[in-house]
Amino acid sequence: MVVAAVLPPLAVTNWNFLSLVQADAGPDSVTVVAWVTLEGFVANSLGVQFGTDGSLVVAHDAECPPELSYVSNYCQRVWLYRSDGSPRIAIHDTDSRLFDVMEVDGEESIVFQAWNTIDQDYEWRIAPLREPIAGVRVVAEPPEPVAVVIEETWLDYERVAAWGPDEARFTWIDMADYPYRLRSHFVGSEELLFDIELSESCQDRPTRVVDIGTHVLVNCGRVRGNSVDGDRALVVDLTGDTVEQWRLPVTG
Protein backbone atom coordinates (compact mmCIF):
# COMPACT_ATOMS: atom_id res chain seq x y z
CA MET A 1 0.00 0.00 0.00
CA VAL A 2 1.26 3.47 -0.90
CA VAL A 3 1.18 6.04 1.90
CA ALA A 4 -1.94 8.19 1.47
CA ALA A 5 -1.28 11.57 -0.14
CA VAL A 6 -3.33 14.32 -1.70
CA LEU A 7 -2.89 15.88 -5.09
CA PRO A 8 -0.61 18.91 -5.20
CA PRO A 9 -2.11 22.14 -6.57
CA LEU A 10 -2.81 21.82 -10.30
CA ALA A 11 -2.82 24.49 -12.99
CA VAL A 12 -5.79 24.02 -15.29
CA THR A 13 -5.92 26.08 -18.45
CA ASN A 14 -8.92 26.88 -20.61
CA TRP A 15 -7.57 28.59 -23.70
CA ASN A 16 -5.66 31.49 -22.08
CA PHE A 17 -7.18 31.48 -18.60
CA LEU A 18 -5.43 29.57 -15.81
CA SER A 19 -7.02 28.38 -12.59
CA LEU A 20 -5.35 26.85 -9.56
CA VAL A 21 -7.14 23.65 -8.54
CA GLN A 22 -6.77 21.83 -5.22
CA ALA A 23 -8.37 18.40 -4.79
CA ASP A 24 -7.72 16.94 -1.33
CA ALA A 25 -9.81 13.78 -1.45
CA GLY A 26 -11.66 13.25 -4.69
CA PRO A 27 -13.94 15.41 -6.83
CA ASP A 28 -16.17 16.55 -3.95
CA SER A 29 -13.22 18.26 -2.24
CA VAL A 30 -12.10 20.37 -5.19
CA THR A 31 -11.60 24.12 -4.84
CA VAL A 32 -10.89 26.31 -7.87
CA VAL A 33 -9.22 29.72 -7.64
CA ALA A 34 -8.70 32.03 -10.62
CA TRP A 35 -4.97 32.53 -11.05
CA VAL A 36 -3.85 34.42 -14.15
CA THR A 37 -5.05 35.43 -17.60
CA LEU A 38 -2.20 34.88 -20.02
CA GLU A 39 -1.34 37.26 -22.83
CA GLY A 40 -1.82 34.53 -25.41
CA PHE A 41 -3.47 31.16 -25.93
CA VAL A 42 -1.72 28.10 -24.51
CA ALA A 43 -0.14 26.31 -27.45
CA ASN A 44 -0.72 22.62 -26.65
CA SER A 45 -0.85 19.96 -23.93
CA LEU A 46 2.84 20.59 -23.08
CA GLY A 47 2.37 24.34 -23.08
CA VAL A 48 2.22 24.81 -19.28
CA GLN A 49 5.02 23.71 -16.95
CA PHE A 50 5.93 24.56 -13.33
CA GLY A 51 9.19 25.26 -11.58
CA THR A 52 9.71 24.15 -8.00
CA ASP A 53 9.95 27.82 -6.99
CA GLY A 54 6.40 28.43 -8.20
CA SER A 55 7.43 29.94 -11.54
CA LEU A 56 5.14 29.27 -14.48
CA VAL A 57 6.57 28.52 -17.93
CA VAL A 58 4.06 28.84 -20.76
CA ALA A 59 4.13 28.45 -24.54
CA HIS A 60 1.74 30.99 -26.10
CA ASP A 61 0.41 31.09 -29.61
CA ALA A 62 2.20 33.97 -31.33
CA GLU A 63 2.37 35.77 -34.64
CA CYS A 64 5.16 34.43 -36.82
CA PRO A 65 8.04 36.84 -37.48
CA PRO A 66 8.61 37.85 -41.14
CA GLU A 67 11.53 35.46 -41.58
CA LEU A 68 9.23 32.53 -40.78
CA SER A 69 6.22 33.60 -42.82
CA TYR A 70 7.14 31.29 -45.70
CA VAL A 71 7.67 28.31 -43.35
CA SER A 72 4.60 28.45 -41.13
CA ASN A 73 1.59 30.59 -40.29
CA TYR A 74 1.49 29.20 -36.75
CA CYS A 75 4.20 30.03 -34.22
CA GLN A 76 4.70 29.85 -30.47
CA ARG A 77 6.74 31.76 -27.90
CA VAL A 78 7.92 30.56 -24.50
CA TRP A 79 7.39 32.91 -21.57
CA LEU A 80 8.37 32.77 -17.91
CA TYR A 81 6.00 34.10 -15.23
CA ARG A 82 7.54 34.56 -11.78
CA SER A 83 5.42 33.89 -8.69
CA ASP A 84 6.19 37.39 -7.33
CA GLY A 85 4.16 39.02 -10.11
CA SER A 86 7.13 40.66 -11.83
CA PRO A 87 6.91 41.26 -15.61
CA ARG A 88 6.99 38.10 -17.70
CA ILE A 89 10.23 37.14 -19.44
CA ALA A 90 10.44 36.12 -23.10
CA ILE A 91 12.70 33.08 -23.35
CA HIS A 92 13.09 33.29 -27.14
CA ASP A 93 12.04 35.85 -29.73
CA THR A 94 11.07 33.76 -32.79
CA ASP A 95 9.26 30.41 -32.87
CA SER A 96 9.88 28.30 -29.75
CA ARG A 97 8.26 25.08 -28.51
CA LEU A 98 8.20 24.17 -24.83
CA PHE A 99 8.82 20.54 -23.81
CA ASP A 100 9.57 20.44 -20.09
CA VAL A 101 10.93 22.04 -16.94
CA MET A 102 13.34 19.56 -15.39
CA GLU A 103 16.73 19.14 -13.74
CA VAL A 104 19.60 19.22 -16.24
CA ASP A 105 23.18 18.86 -14.96
CA GLY A 106 22.00 19.58 -11.43
CA GLU A 107 20.06 22.75 -12.30
CA GLU A 108 16.33 23.21 -12.85
CA SER A 109 15.99 24.18 -16.49
CA ILE A 110 13.57 24.94 -19.31
CA VAL A 111 13.90 22.52 -22.23
CA PHE A 112 12.58 23.86 -25.55
CA GLN A 113 13.12 23.98 -29.29
CA ALA A 114 13.74 27.30 -31.03
CA TRP A 115 13.96 28.41 -34.63
CA ASN A 116 17.48 29.33 -35.70
CA THR A 117 17.19 32.07 -38.32
CA ILE A 118 20.75 31.45 -39.59
CA ASP A 119 20.52 27.69 -40.09
CA GLN A 120 16.80 27.90 -40.97
CA ASP A 121 15.95 25.01 -38.68
CA TYR A 122 14.85 24.18 -35.13
CA GLU A 123 17.49 23.51 -32.48
CA TRP A 124 17.29 22.22 -28.91
CA ARG A 125 17.96 24.75 -26.17
CA ILE A 126 18.25 24.56 -22.40
CA ALA A 127 17.77 27.63 -20.22
CA PRO A 128 18.25 27.58 -16.43
CA LEU A 129 15.05 28.59 -14.67
CA ARG A 130 17.00 30.78 -12.26
CA GLU A 131 18.51 33.00 -14.98
CA PRO A 132 17.16 31.86 -18.36
CA ILE A 133 18.26 34.66 -20.66
CA ALA A 134 21.90 34.81 -19.55
CA GLY A 135 22.32 31.05 -19.33
CA VAL A 136 20.59 29.66 -22.42
CA ARG A 137 22.64 27.11 -24.36
CA VAL A 138 22.17 25.09 -27.53
CA VAL A 139 22.53 21.29 -27.38
CA ALA A 140 22.63 18.68 -30.12
CA GLU A 141 20.01 16.45 -28.52
CA PRO A 142 17.33 16.91 -25.85
CA PRO A 143 18.03 15.55 -22.33
CA GLU A 144 17.55 11.79 -22.15
CA PRO A 145 14.18 11.82 -20.29
CA VAL A 146 12.68 14.14 -22.91
CA ALA A 147 14.26 12.15 -25.75
CA VAL A 148 12.80 8.87 -24.47
CA VAL A 149 9.29 10.30 -24.11
CA ILE A 150 9.47 11.80 -27.62
CA GLU A 151 10.65 8.50 -29.06
CA GLU A 152 7.91 6.57 -27.27
CA THR A 153 5.12 8.95 -28.27
CA TRP A 154 6.03 10.47 -31.62
CA LEU A 155 7.20 7.29 -33.28
CA ASP A 156 4.54 5.09 -31.68
CA TYR A 157 1.12 6.60 -32.31
CA GLU A 158 -0.51 4.07 -29.97
CA ARG A 159 0.74 5.54 -26.71
CA VAL A 160 1.38 8.68 -24.68
CA ALA A 161 4.09 8.43 -22.06
CA ALA A 162 5.90 10.21 -19.22
CA TRP A 163 8.53 9.70 -16.57
CA GLY A 164 7.61 9.54 -12.90
CA PRO A 165 8.72 12.43 -10.65
CA ASP A 166 12.13 10.89 -9.86
CA GLU A 167 12.64 9.39 -13.34
CA ALA A 168 12.74 5.94 -11.72
CA ARG A 169 9.64 4.66 -13.47
CA PHE A 170 8.19 5.05 -16.93
CA THR A 171 4.41 5.32 -17.31
CA TRP A 172 2.31 5.21 -20.45
CA ILE A 173 -1.20 4.77 -21.80
CA ASP A 174 -1.49 1.88 -24.20
CA MET A 175 -4.12 2.64 -26.83
CA ALA A 176 -3.56 -0.34 -29.09
CA ASP A 177 -6.52 -2.05 -27.41
CA TYR A 178 -9.78 -0.64 -26.17
CA PRO A 179 -10.51 0.21 -23.37
CA TYR A 180 -7.19 2.01 -22.96
CA ARG A 181 -4.75 0.75 -20.33
CA LEU A 182 -2.38 2.65 -18.05
CA ARG A 183 0.92 0.83 -17.48
CA SER A 184 4.21 1.51 -15.72
CA HIS A 185 7.55 -0.16 -15.00
CA PHE A 186 10.79 0.72 -13.25
CA VAL A 187 13.67 1.80 -15.46
CA GLY A 188 15.72 -1.21 -16.46
CA SER A 189 12.94 -3.68 -15.70
CA GLU A 190 10.22 -5.12 -17.89
CA GLU A 191 8.09 -6.14 -14.91
CA LEU A 192 4.96 -4.01 -14.73
CA LEU A 193 4.35 -1.99 -11.57
CA PHE A 194 0.71 -1.64 -12.52
CA ASP A 195 -1.57 -2.39 -15.44
CA ILE A 196 -4.85 -0.48 -15.01
CA GLU A 197 -7.84 -0.36 -17.31
CA LEU A 198 -9.03 3.24 -17.52
CA SER A 199 -12.58 3.45 -16.23
CA GLU A 200 -13.45 6.40 -18.49
CA SER A 201 -12.01 7.18 -21.90
CA CYS A 202 -11.34 10.56 -23.46
CA GLN A 203 -13.72 11.71 -26.20
CA ASP A 204 -10.64 12.06 -28.37
CA ARG A 205 -7.35 10.26 -27.86
CA PRO A 206 -5.58 11.19 -24.58
CA THR A 207 -3.16 14.02 -25.25
CA ARG A 208 -0.83 13.63 -22.28
CA VAL A 209 -0.14 11.57 -19.18
CA VAL A 210 1.41 13.12 -16.04
CA ASP A 211 2.87 10.79 -13.39
CA ILE A 212 3.36 12.54 -10.02
CA GLY A 213 4.00 9.37 -8.08
CA THR A 214 0.92 9.08 -5.90
CA HIS A 215 -1.43 9.91 -8.77
CA VAL A 216 -1.43 9.76 -12.56
CA LEU A 217 -3.31 12.42 -14.54
CA VAL A 218 -4.68 11.68 -18.00
CA ASN A 219 -5.15 14.88 -19.98
CA CYS A 220 -8.34 14.61 -22.05
CA GLY A 221 -8.79 18.29 -22.84
CA ARG A 222 -9.29 19.15 -26.49
CA VAL A 223 -9.57 22.51 -28.21
CA ARG A 224 -12.73 23.36 -30.10
CA GLY A 225 -12.72 26.81 -31.66
CA ASN A 226 -11.76 29.28 -28.93
CA SER A 227 -12.23 27.10 -25.86
CA VAL A 228 -11.51 23.73 -24.29
CA ASP A 229 -14.56 21.48 -24.22
CA GLY A 230 -15.97 19.53 -21.29
CA ASP A 231 -13.88 16.38 -21.64
CA ARG A 232 -12.14 16.68 -18.28
CA ALA A 233 -8.92 15.12 -17.03
CA LEU A 234 -9.03 11.67 -15.46
CA VAL A 235 -7.30 11.26 -12.09
CA VAL A 236 -5.95 7.80 -11.22
CA ASP A 237 -5.36 7.59 -7.45
CA LEU A 238 -2.69 5.03 -6.49
CA THR A 239 -2.61 5.79 -2.74
CA GLY A 240 -5.14 3.25 -1.46
CA ASP A 241 -5.43 -0.52 -1.31
CA THR A 242 -7.52 -0.31 -4.48
CA VAL A 243 -7.03 2.08 -7.38
CA GLU A 244 -9.64 4.84 -7.63
CA GLN A 245 -10.38 6.87 -10.76
CA TRP A 246 -12.37 10.08 -11.08
CA ARG A 247 -12.76 13.08 -13.34
CA LEU A 248 -11.31 16.42 -12.37
CA PRO A 249 -14.47 18.54 -12.06
CA VAL A 250 -13.16 21.53 -13.96
CA THR A 251 -12.75 21.91 -17.70
CA GLY A 252 -9.27 22.25 -19.15
Side-chain angles (χ1 to χ4, degrees):
M1 176 179 176
V2 181
V3 177
V6 298
L7 275 169
L10 305 173
V12 176
T13 176
N14 190 320
W15 208 229
N16 70 324
F17 183 74
L18 262 69
S19 300
L20 196 62
V21 177
Q22 181 68 62
D24 293 327
D28 295 334
S29 68
V30 170
T31 57
V32 182
V33 178
W35 188 14
V36 61
T37 300
L38 303 170
E39 297 181 37
F41 304 136
V42 175
N44 53 47
S45 62
L46 294 174
V48 178
Q49 303 287 348
F50 276 108
T52 56
D53 64 353
S55 296
L56 181 67
V57 185
V58 181
H60 293 172
D61 286 350
E63 183 178 351
C64 290
E67 62 268 25
L68 268 175
S69 60
Y70 69 95
V71 177
S72 174
N73 58 6
Y74 170 77
C75 291
Q76 305 170 21
R77 292 187 70 182
V78 177
W79 299 87
L80 174 63
Y81 292 78
R82 296 295 191 193
S83 57
D84 60 7
S86 56
R88 62 180 183 157
I89 301 171
I91 304 302
H92 191 257
D93 58 2
T94 59
D95 189 22
S96 48
R97 303 170 181 179
L98 176 64
F99 278 84
D100 210 345
V101 172
M102 59 183 297
E103 188 171 295
V104 179
D105 298 332
E107 187 170 27
E108 191 170 26
S109 302
I110 304 165
V111 180
F112 65 103
Q113 275 188 313
W115 180 259
N116 184 316
T117 56
I118 297 176
D119 295 335
Q120 298 290 294
D121 200 359
Y122 291 96
E123 61 189 12
W124 285 98
R125 296 194 177 197
I126 296 174
L129 191 69
R130 176 179 49 82
E131 196 175 3
I133 303 305
V136 66
R137 58 191 174 97
V138 178
V139 295
E141 301 290 342
E144 183 179 3
V146 173
V148 171
V149 169
I150 289 173
E151 180 180 0
E152 292 287 340
T153 58
W154 285 15
L155 301 182
D156 182 353
Y157 188 62
E158 296 301 328
R159 68 172 66 188
V160 289
W163 290 99
D166 56 1
E167 297 174 16
R169 76 183 189 195
F170 190 73
T171 302
W172 71 96
I173 300 173
D174 195 331
M175 296 177 286
D177 299 318
Y178 190 84
Y180 299 150
R181 303 196 69 88
L182 179 69
R183 297 185 170 117
S184 184
H185 63 68
F186 281 126
V187 176
S189 171
E190 296 299 321
E191 183 178 353
L192 291 176
L193 292 169
F194 52 78
D195 184 351
I196 301 167
E197 180 180 305
L198 296 182
S199 61
E200 299 183 63
S201 61
C202 300
Q203 295 178 42
D204 283 348
R205 297 168 58 88
T207 59
R208 189 183 176 197
V209 58
V210 181
D211 183 350
I212 59 175
T214 58
H215 300 74
V216 178
L217 309 177
V218 180
N219 190 343
C220 290
R222 57 181 185 174
V223 174
R224 292 291 182 268
N226 290 339
S227 64
V228 179
D229 74 5
D231 197 11
R232 297 166 180 176
L234 178 64
V235 179
V236 181
D237 187 344
L238 306 173
T239 62
D241 292 320
T242 59
V243 174
E244 295 189 11
Q245 303 180 46
W246 46 276
R247 291 281 191 184
L248 196 66
V250 58
T251 301

